[in-house]
Amino acid sequence: MVFVVEIKGDEEISDPSTENIKKNKDTLAHFKRLNDWLKNEKIPISYQFNFLTPKDYNKFFQKIRNM
């Protein structure tokens, strides 16, 4: 699994910008198409997109450690 992370400010949690809402939607759709292609080609890798804020750093990295 490859994690693609974009860092945002904590304010984006409670009041996300229109730009970031659109970016998230488009990026998730892109990675879905990419992951579907990789699976069809039997390439054993996948991508996951995440917006990450300082508030969630510890939780995010703990999740990775527990994988």
Side-chain angles (χ1 to χ4, degrees), residues 14-30:
S14 60
D15 188 23
S17 69
T18 303
E19 176 185 350
N20 283 329
I21 291 170
K22 175 82 168 124
K23 183 187 291 187
N24 188 58
K25 179 182 174 187
D26 292 346
T27 305
L28 291 175
H30 169 74

Side-chain angles (χ1 to χ4, degrees), residues 58-67:
N58 288 337
K59 187 184 339 176
F60 178 78
F61 289 109
Q62 186 62 47
K63 182 178 177 182
I64 291 173
R65 281 191 291 272
N66 291 336
M67 294 181 87

Side-chain angles (χ1 to χ4, degrees), residues 17-46:
S17 69
T18 303
E19 176 185 350
N20 283 329
I21 291 170
K22 175 82 168 124
K23 183 187 291 187
N24 188 58
K25 179 182 174 187
D26 292 346
T27 305
L28 291 175
H30 169 74
F31 281 125
K32 175 157 183 7
R33 289 189 305 273
L34 174 60
N35 287 333
D36 288 346
W37 181 83
L38 290 166
K39 185 176 180 180
N40 287 338
E41 295 294 316
K42 298 183 177 24
I43 299 171
I45 195 165
S46 63

